[in-house]
Amino acid sequence: QVQLVESGGGLVQAGGSLRLSCAASGSNFKINDMAWYRQAPGKQRELVAEVTSGGSTNYADSVKGRFTISRDNAKNTGYLQMNSLKPEDTAVYYCNADLTLLTQGGRGYEYDYWGQGTQVTVSS
């Protein structure tokens, strides 16, 4: 019913920038909170940044001052602007969204959705 489609990953040199996007498509849903996670080979998936429906943000210490999470509610799209990239940022990045699915009867169900992942590689 709902899909999260990520784009914007790729190969970039250290010090460069990338912007990831996460577009939610489908019907009868509302996005509550959104977040970005990343997972490097041999490492656990970690929270990078999150933004609530009210606009509050939270960042991992490793990306503070370099990454910015944002959202466009009218487009049901979230973004992660990544500046001053380091080789340590190399990972698969995943979009996550907490959604409310709406039914014809007016009942809402809360679900957690994940994007397909996009590879970010930072060369030195």
Side-chain angles (χ1 to χ4, degrees):
Q1 187 173 359
V2 177
Q3 294 86 39
L4 301 181
V5 180
E6 301 180 31
S7 62
L11 175 65
V12 66
Q13 292 184 340
S17 298
L18 287 173
R19 189 178 76 158
L20 307 183
S21 64
C22 176
S25 62
S27 61
N28 299 320
F29 70 92
K30 180 177 72 71
I31 301 176
N32 303 316
D33 300 336
M34 298 191 71
W36 289 92
Y37 291 76
R38 67 185 181 187
Q39 187 168 24
K43 302 292 184 66
Q44 292 184 334
R45 187 172 298 187
E46 65 172 341
L47 176 66
V48 177
E50 59 184 353
V51 57
T52 70
S53 60
S56 298
T57 58
N58 184 51
Y59 298 91
D61 288 340
S62 60
V63 306
K64 285 182 179 177
R66 300 188 297 120
F67 291 10
T68 303
I69 188 171
S70 62
R71 62 193 295 171
D72 187 334
N73 291 331
K75 297 181 179 180
N76 286 324
T77 301
Y79 304 93
L80 184 67
Q81 178 67 46
M82 305 184 294
N83 298 326
S84 301
L85 282 162
K86 305 174 181 179
E88 307 92 89
D89 296 317
T90 296
V92 178
Y93 284 70
Y94 296 91
C95 175
N96 174 262
D98 178 64
L99 306 175
T100 298
L101 301 178
L102 307 176
T103 68
Q104 192 69 32
R107 178 176 292 182
Y109 298 90
E110 189 169 323
Y111 283 85
D112 194 60
Y113 281 84
W114 291 88
Q116 81 280 9
T118 184
Q119 177 71 48
V120 172
T121 302
V122 184
S123 65
S124 60

Short mmCIF file of all heavy atoms in Angstrom, two decimals, residues 1-59:
data_model
loop_
_atom_site.label_atom_id
_atom_site.label_comp_id
_atom_site.label_asym_id
_atom_site.label_seq_id
_atom_site.Cartn_x
_atom_site.Cartn_y
_atom_site.Cartn_z
N GLN A 1 0.82 -1.20 0.00
CA GLN A 1 0.00 0.00 0.00
C GLN A 1 0.86 1.26 0.00
O GLN A 1 0.48 2.26 -0.62
CB GLN A 1 -0.92 0.00 1.20
CG GLN A 1 -1.93 1.13 1.20
CD GLN A 1 -2.94 1.02 2.32
OE1 GLN A 1 -2.91 0.09 3.11
NE2 GLN A 1 -3.84 1.98 2.38
N VAL A 2 1.98 1.22 0.70
CA VAL A 2 2.88 2.35 0.78
C VAL A 2 4.29 1.87 0.48
O VAL A 2 4.70 0.80 0.95
CB VAL A 2 2.84 3.02 2.16
CG1 VAL A 2 3.85 4.16 2.23
CG2 VAL A 2 1.44 3.54 2.44
N GLN A 3 5.02 2.65 -0.31
CA GLN A 3 6.41 2.38 -0.58
C GLN A 3 7.25 3.62 -0.30
O GLN A 3 6.79 4.74 -0.53
CB GLN A 3 6.64 1.96 -2.04
CG GLN A 3 6.01 0.63 -2.43
CD GLN A 3 4.58 0.79 -2.85
OE1 GLN A 3 4.22 1.75 -3.53
NE2 GLN A 3 3.75 -0.16 -2.46
N LEU A 4 8.44 3.40 0.21
CA LEU A 4 9.42 4.46 0.38
C LEU A 4 10.52 4.25 -0.64
O LEU A 4 11.18 3.21 -0.63
CB LEU A 4 10.00 4.45 1.79
CG LEU A 4 9.03 4.61 2.96
CD1 LEU A 4 9.80 4.60 4.28
CD2 LEU A 4 8.23 5.89 2.83
N VAL A 5 10.71 5.21 -1.52
CA VAL A 5 11.69 5.12 -2.58
C VAL A 5 12.81 6.11 -2.32
O VAL A 5 12.57 7.32 -2.26
CB VAL A 5 11.06 5.38 -3.96
CG1 VAL A 5 12.12 5.28 -5.05
CG2 VAL A 5 9.94 4.39 -4.22
N GLU A 6 14.03 5.59 -2.18
CA GLU A 6 15.19 6.42 -1.91
C GLU A 6 15.95 6.73 -3.18
O GLU A 6 15.96 5.94 -4.13
CB GLU A 6 16.13 5.72 -0.93
CG GLU A 6 15.51 5.37 0.41
CD GLU A 6 16.49 4.68 1.33
OE1 GLU A 6 17.71 4.97 1.25
OE2 GLU A 6 16.06 3.85 2.15
N SER A 7 16.62 7.86 -3.18
CA SER A 7 17.48 8.24 -4.29
C SER A 7 18.54 9.20 -3.78
O SER A 7 18.42 9.75 -2.68
CB SER A 7 16.69 8.87 -5.43
OG SER A 7 16.06 10.07 -5.01
N GLY A 8 19.58 9.41 -4.58
CA GLY A 8 20.59 10.39 -4.27
C GLY A 8 21.93 9.83 -3.83
O GLY A 8 22.89 10.59 -3.68
N GLY A 9 22.02 8.54 -3.61
CA GLY A 9 23.29 7.95 -3.21
C GLY A 9 24.27 7.90 -4.37
O GLY A 9 23.92 8.15 -5.52
N GLY A 10 25.51 7.59 -4.04
CA GLY A 10 26.52 7.50 -5.07
C GLY A 10 27.91 7.58 -4.50
O GLY A 10 28.13 7.42 -3.30
N LEU A 11 28.87 7.84 -5.38
CA LEU A 11 30.28 7.94 -5.03
C LEU A 11 30.69 9.40 -5.00
O LEU A 11 30.41 10.16 -5.93
CB LEU A 11 31.13 7.17 -6.04
CG LEU A 11 32.65 7.27 -5.89
CD1 LEU A 11 33.10 6.65 -4.58
CD2 LEU A 11 33.33 6.61 -7.08
N VAL A 12 31.35 9.81 -3.92
CA VAL A 12 31.79 11.18 -3.78
C VAL A 12 33.13 11.20 -3.07
O VAL A 12 33.44 10.31 -2.27
CB VAL A 12 30.74 12.01 -3.00
CG1 VAL A 12 30.62 11.52 -1.56
CG2 VAL A 12 31.07 13.49 -3.05
N GLN A 13 33.94 12.21 -3.36
CA GLN A 13 35.22 12.36 -2.69
C GLN A 13 35.04 12.95 -1.30
O GLN A 13 34.05 13.65 -1.03
CB GLN A 13 36.15 13.26 -3.50
CG GLN A 13 36.62 12.65 -4.81
CD GLN A 13 37.60 13.53 -5.54
OE1 GLN A 13 37.69 14.74 -5.30
NE2 GLN A 13 38.37 12.94 -6.44
N ALA A 14 35.99 12.67 -0.43
CA ALA A 14 35.96 13.24 0.91
C ALA A 14 35.86 14.76 0.83
O ALA A 14 36.54 15.40 0.02
CB ALA A 14 37.20 12.83 1.69
N GLY A 15 35.01 15.32 1.68
CA GLY A 15 34.77 16.75 1.68
C GLY A 15 33.61 17.16 0.80
O GLY A 15 33.17 18.32 0.88
N GLY A 16 33.10 16.25 0.00
CA GLY A 16 32.00 16.55 -0.88
C GLY A 16 30.65 16.44 -0.20
O GLY A 16 30.56 16.20 1.01
N SER A 17 29.60 16.60 -1.00
CA SER A 17 28.24 16.61 -0.48
C SER A 17 27.33 15.73 -1.31
O SER A 17 27.55 15.53 -2.51
CB SER A 17 27.67 18.04 -0.47
OG SER A 17 28.42 18.91 0.35
N LEU A 18 26.31 15.21 -0.66
CA LEU A 18 25.24 14.47 -1.31
C LEU A 18 23.94 14.81 -0.61
O LEU A 18 23.94 15.13 0.58
CB LEU A 18 25.46 12.96 -1.25
CG LEU A 18 26.53 12.33 -2.12
CD1 LEU A 18 26.69 10.86 -1.76
CD2 LEU A 18 26.18 12.47 -3.59
N ARG A 19 22.85 14.73 -1.35
CA ARG A 19 21.54 14.87 -0.76
C ARG A 19 20.71 13.65 -1.08
O ARG A 19 20.46 13.34 -2.25
CB ARG A 19 20.81 16.13 -1.24
CG ARG A 19 19.52 16.38 -0.45
CD ARG A 19 18.78 17.63 -0.87
NE ARG A 19 18.07 17.46 -2.13
CZ ARG A 19 17.04 18.20 -2.51
NH1 ARG A 19 16.59 19.17 -1.72
NH2 ARG A 19 16.47 17.99 -3.68
N LEU A 20 20.28 12.96 -0.05
CA LEU A 20 19.41 11.81 -0.20
C LEU A 20 17.95 12.24 -0.08
O LEU A 20 17.62 13.15 0.68
CB LEU A 20 19.71 10.75 0.87
CG LEU A 20 21.15 10.29 1.02
CD1 LEU A 20 21.24 9.20 2.08
CD2 LEU A 20 21.71 9.81 -0.31
N SER A 21 17.10 11.58 -0.83
CA SER A 21 15.67 11.84 -0.74
C SER A 21 14.93 10.54 -0.48
O SER A 21 15.39 9.45 -0.84
CB SER A 21 15.14 12.51 -2.00
OG SER A 21 15.25 11.65 -3.12
N CYS A 22 13.79 10.66 0.14
CA CYS A 22 12.94 9.52 0.48
C CYS A 22 11.50 9.93 0.22
O CYS A 22 10.94 10.73 0.98
CB CYS A 22 13.15 9.12 1.94
SG CYS A 22 12.07 7.80 2.52
N ALA A 23 10.93 9.40 -0.84
CA ALA A 23 9.58 9.76 -1.26
C ALA A 23 8.61 8.63 -0.93
O ALA A 23 8.81 7.49 -1.35
CB ALA A 23 9.54 10.07 -2.75
N ALA A 24 7.58 8.96 -0.20
CA ALA A 24 6.54 7.99 0.14
C ALA A 24 5.42 8.06 -0.89
O ALA A 24 4.91 9.15 -1.20
CB ALA A 24 5.98 8.27 1.53
N SER A 25 5.04 6.92 -1.43
CA SER A 25 3.96 6.85 -2.40
C SER A 25 2.94 5.82 -1.97
O SER A 25 3.26 4.85 -1.28
CB SER A 25 4.49 6.52 -3.80
OG SER A 25 5.11 5.24 -3.81
N GLY A 26 1.71 6.01 -2.41
CA GLY A 26 0.63 5.13 -2.05
C GLY A 26 -0.63 5.93 -1.84
O GLY A 26 -0.82 7.00 -2.42
N SER A 27 -1.49 5.43 -0.99
CA SER A 27 -2.76 6.10 -0.75
C SER A 27 -3.17 5.95 0.71
O SER A 27 -2.77 5.00 1.39
CB SER A 27 -3.85 5.54 -1.66
OG SER A 27 -4.05 4.15 -1.43
N ASN A 28 -3.94 6.91 1.14
CA ASN A 28 -4.57 6.85 2.46
C ASN A 28 -3.56 6.66 3.59
O ASN A 28 -3.66 5.72 4.38
CB ASN A 28 -5.62 5.75 2.50
CG ASN A 28 -6.73 5.98 1.50
OD1 ASN A 28 -7.19 7.10 1.31
ND2 ASN A 28 -7.17 4.90 0.85
N PHE A 29 -2.60 7.54 3.63
CA PHE A 29 -1.62 7.48 4.71
C PHE A 29 -1.19 8.87 5.11
O PHE A 29 -1.35 9.84 4.37
CB PHE A 29 -0.40 6.64 4.30
CG PHE A 29 0.46 7.30 3.26
CD1 PHE A 29 1.53 8.10 3.64
CD2 PHE A 29 0.21 7.12 1.92
CE1 PHE A 29 2.33 8.71 2.70
CE2 PHE A 29 1.01 7.73 0.96
CZ PHE A 29 2.07 8.53 1.35
N LYS A 30 -0.63 8.94 6.29
CA LYS A 30 -0.05 10.17 6.81
C LYS A 30 1.27 9.82 7.48
O LYS A 30 1.35 8.85 8.24
CB LYS A 30 -0.99 10.84 7.82
CG LYS A 30 -0.45 12.13 8.41
CD LYS A 30 -1.46 12.77 9.34
CE LYS A 30 -1.58 11.97 10.64
NZ LYS A 30 -0.37 12.11 11.48
N ILE A 31 2.30 10.59 7.19
CA ILE A 31 3.61 10.36 7.78
C ILE A 31 3.70 11.05 9.13
O ILE A 31 3.40 12.24 9.25
CB ILE A 31 4.73 10.86 6.86
CG1 ILE A 31 4.67 10.17 5.50
CG2 ILE A 31 6.09 10.64 7.51
CD1 ILE A 31 5.69 10.68 4.51
N ASN A 32 4.11 10.30 10.11
CA ASN A 32 4.33 10.87 11.44
C ASN A 32 5.80 11.29 11.58
O ASN A 32 6.15 12.42 11.25
CB ASN A 32 3.92 9.86 12.50
CG ASN A 32 2.47 9.43 12.34
OD1 ASN A 32 1.58 10.26 12.12
ND2 ASN A 32 2.22 8.13 12.44
N ASP A 33 6.65 10.39 12.04
CA ASP A 33 8.07 10.68 12.17
C ASP A 33 8.85 10.06 11.03
O ASP A 33 8.46 9.04 10.46
CB ASP A 33 8.60 10.16 13.51
CG ASP A 33 7.89 10.78 14.69
OD1 ASP A 33 7.35 11.88 14.56
OD2 ASP A 33 7.91 10.15 15.77
N MET A 34 9.98 10.67 10.68
CA MET A 34 10.88 10.14 9.67
C MET A 34 12.29 10.10 10.22
O MET A 34 12.65 10.90 11.08
CB MET A 34 10.85 10.99 8.39
CG MET A 34 9.51 11.05 7.71
SD MET A 34 9.61 11.80 6.05
CE MET A 34 10.47 10.48 5.17
N ALA A 35 13.08 9.17 9.70
CA ALA A 35 14.44 9.03 10.17
C ALA A 35 15.31 8.43 9.07
O ALA A 35 14.82 7.82 8.12
CB ALA A 35 14.50 8.14 11.42
N TRP A 36 16.61 8.62 9.23
CA TRP A 36 17.61 8.00 8.37
C TRP A 36 18.52 7.14 9.23
O TRP A 36 18.99 7.58 10.29
CB TRP A 36 18.44 9.03 7.62
CG TRP A 36 17.68 9.74 6.54
CD1 TRP A 36 16.99 10.90 6.64
CD2 TRP A 36 17.56 9.31 5.18
NE1 TRP A 36 16.43 11.24 5.43
CE2 TRP A 36 16.77 10.28 4.52
CE3 TRP A 36 18.03 8.22 4.46
CZ2 TRP A 36 16.44 10.18 3.16
CZ3 TRP A 36 17.71 8.12 3.12
CH2 TRP A 36 16.93 9.09 2.49
N TYR A 37 18.76 5.93 8.77
CA TYR A 37 19.70 5.00 9.38
C TYR A 37 20.79 4.66 8.37
O TYR A 37 20.63 4.87 7.17
CB TYR A 37 19.00 3.71 9.81
CG TYR A 37 18.05 3.86 10.98
CD1 TYR A 37 16.80 4.43 10.83
CD2 TYR A 37 18.41 3.39 12.25
CE1 TYR A 37 15.92 4.55 11.89
CE2 TYR A 37 17.54 3.50 13.32
CZ TYR A 37 16.30 4.08 13.14
OH TYR A 37 15.43 4.18 14.20
N ARG A 38 21.89 4.13 8.86
CA ARG A 38 22.92 3.63 7.97
C ARG A 38 23.54 2.37 8.55
O ARG A 38 23.54 2.16 9.76
CB ARG A 38 24.00 4.69 7.71
CG ARG A 38 24.85 5.05 8.92
CD ARG A 38 25.80 6.19 8.58
NE ARG A 38 26.66 6.56 9.69
CZ ARG A 38 27.47 7.61 9.68
NH1 ARG A 38 27.54 8.40 8.62
NH2 ARG A 38 28.22 7.88 10.75
N GLN A 39 24.07 1.55 7.65
CA GLN A 39 24.71 0.31 8.05
C GLN A 39 25.93 0.07 7.19
O GLN A 39 25.83 -0.05 5.97
CB GLN A 39 23.74 -0.86 7.95
CG GLN A 39 24.29 -2.16 8.51
CD GLN A 39 23.22 -3.22 8.67
OE1 GLN A 39 22.19 -3.18 7.99
NE2 GLN A 39 23.44 -4.15 9.57
N ALA A 40 27.08 0.01 7.83
CA ALA A 40 28.32 -0.31 7.16
C ALA A 40 28.59 -1.81 7.29
O ALA A 40 28.08 -2.45 8.22
CB ALA A 40 29.48 0.49 7.75
N PRO A 41 29.38 -2.39 6.40
CA PRO A 41 29.68 -3.83 6.49
C PRO A 41 30.26 -4.20 7.85
O PRO A 41 31.18 -3.55 8.35
CB PRO A 41 30.70 -4.05 5.37
CG PRO A 41 30.40 -2.97 4.38
CD PRO A 41 30.00 -1.78 5.20
N GLY A 42 29.69 -5.24 8.45
CA GLY A 42 30.16 -5.70 9.74
C GLY A 42 29.71 -4.87 10.92
O GLY A 42 30.09 -5.17 12.05
N LYS A 43 28.91 -3.85 10.68
CA LYS A 43 28.44 -2.98 11.74
C LYS A 43 26.93 -3.08 11.90
O LYS A 43 26.21 -3.47 10.97
CB LYS A 43 28.83 -1.52 11.46
CG LYS A 43 30.32 -1.27 11.30
CD LYS A 43 31.05 -1.47 12.61
CE LYS A 43 32.52 -1.12 12.46
NZ LYS A 43 32.71 0.35 12.20
N GLN A 44 26.46 -2.72 13.08
CA GLN A 44 25.02 -2.66 13.32
C GLN A 44 24.43 -1.43 12.64
O GLN A 44 25.11 -0.42 12.44
CB GLN A 44 24.73 -2.62 14.82
CG GLN A 44 25.06 -3.89 15.57
CD GLN A 44 24.66 -3.81 17.03
OE1 GLN A 44 24.58 -2.72 17.61
NE2 GLN A 44 24.40 -4.95 17.63
N ARG A 45 23.16 -1.53 12.30
CA ARG A 45 22.47 -0.38 11.76
C ARG A 45 22.33 0.68 12.85
O ARG A 45 21.93 0.37 13.99
CB ARG A 45 21.10 -0.80 11.23
CG ARG A 45 20.36 0.31 10.50
CD ARG A 45 19.10 -0.22 9.83
NE ARG A 45 19.40 -1.22 8.82
CZ ARG A 45 18.49 -1.74 8.00
NH1 ARG A 45 17.22 -1.34 8.06
NH2 ARG A 45 18.84 -2.66 7.12
N GLU A 46 22.65 1.92 12.51
CA GLU A 46 22.63 2.98 13.49
C GLU A 46 21.75 4.14 13.01
O GLU A 46 21.65 4.41 11.82
CB GLU A 46 24.05 3.50 13.78
CG GLU A 46 24.72 4.16 12.59
CD GLU A 46 26.04 4.82 12.95
OE1 GLU A 46 26.27 5.10 14.14
OE2 GLU A 46 26.85 5.07 12.03
N LEU A 47 21.16 4.81 13.97
CA LEU A 47 20.36 5.99 13.68
C LEU A 47 21.28 7.16 13.34
O LEU A 47 22.20 7.46 14.10
CB LEU A 47 19.48 6.34 14.87
CG LEU A 47 18.64 7.61 14.75
CD1 LEU A 47 17.58 7.46 13.67
CD2 LEU A 47 17.99 7.95 16.09
N VAL A 48 21.01 7.80 12.22
CA VAL A 48 21.78 8.96 11.78
C VAL A 48 21.08 10.25 12.16
O VAL A 48 21.68 11.17 12.73
CB VAL A 48 22.04 8.92 10.27
CG1 VAL A 48 22.79 10.17 9.81
CG2 VAL A 48 22.83 7.67 9.90
N ALA A 49 19.80 10.35 11.82
CA ALA A 49 19.04 11.57 12.07
C ALA A 49 17.56 11.24 12.05
O ALA A 49 17.13 10.29 11.40
CB ALA A 49 19.35 12.65 11.03
N GLU A 50 16.79 12.03 12.76
CA GLU A 50 15.35 11.86 12.77
C GLU A 50 14.67 13.21 12.89
O GLU A 50 15.24 14.16 13.43
CB GLU A 50 14.91 10.94 13.91
CG GLU A 50 15.30 11.41 15.29
CD GLU A 50 14.94 10.43 16.39
OE1 GLU A 50 14.28 9.42 16.09
OE2 GLU A 50 15.33 10.66 17.55
N VAL A 51 13.46 13.28 12.38
CA VAL A 51 12.66 14.49 12.46
C VAL A 51 11.22 14.09 12.76
O VAL A 51 10.66 13.18 12.14
CB VAL A 51 12.75 15.34 11.16
CG1 VAL A 51 12.32 14.54 9.94
CG2 VAL A 51 11.93 16.61 11.31
N THR A 52 10.63 14.75 13.74
CA THR A 52 9.26 14.45 14.13
C THR A 52 8.29 15.21 13.25
O THR A 52 8.65 16.08 12.46
CB THR A 52 9.03 14.82 15.59
OG1 THR A 52 9.05 16.25 15.74
CG2 THR A 52 10.10 14.21 16.49
N SER A 53 7.01 14.87 13.41
CA SER A 53 5.98 15.58 12.66
C SER A 53 5.93 17.05 13.02
O SER A 53 5.49 17.87 12.21
CB SER A 53 4.61 14.93 12.92
OG SER A 53 4.28 14.97 14.30
N GLY A 54 6.38 17.39 14.22
CA GLY A 54 6.42 18.78 14.64
C GLY A 54 7.66 19.53 14.23
O GLY A 54 7.78 20.73 14.51
N GLY A 55 8.61 18.83 13.60
CA GLY A 55 9.81 19.49 13.11
C GLY A 55 11.02 19.39 14.01
O GLY A 55 12.08 19.92 13.67
N SER A 56 10.90 18.73 15.15
CA SER A 56 12.05 18.55 16.02
C SER A 56 13.03 17.57 15.40
O SER A 56 12.62 16.56 14.81
CB SER A 56 11.61 18.07 17.40
OG SER A 56 10.78 19.02 18.03
N THR A 57 14.32 17.82 15.55
CA THR A 57 15.35 16.98 14.95
C THR A 57 16.30 16.45 16.00
O THR A 57 16.47 17.03 17.08
CB THR A 57 16.15 17.75 13.90
OG1 THR A 57 16.75 18.90 14.49
CG2 THR A 57 15.25 18.20 12.76
N ASN A 58 16.94 15.34 15.65
CA ASN A 58 17.93 14.71 16.50
C ASN A 58 18.98 14.07 15.60
O ASN A 58 18.63 13.49 14.57
CB ASN A 58 17.29 13.67 17.42
CG ASN A 58 18.27 13.07 18.38
OD1 ASN A 58 18.98 13.77 19.08
ND2 ASN A 58 18.31 11.73 18.44
N TYR A 59 20.26 14.18 15.99
CA TYR A 59 21.35 13.68 15.16
C TYR A 59 22.30 12.84 15.98
O TYR A 59 22.51 13.08 17.18
CB TYR A 59 22.15 14.83 14.54
CG TYR A 59 21.36 15.71 13.61
CD1 TYR A 59 20.70 16.84 14.07
CD2 TYR A 59 21.28 15.40 12.25
CE1 TYR A 59 19.99 17.64 13.21
CE2 TYR A 59 20.56 16.20 11.38
CZ TYR A 59 19.92 17.32 11.87
OH TYR A 59 19.21 18.13 11.00
#
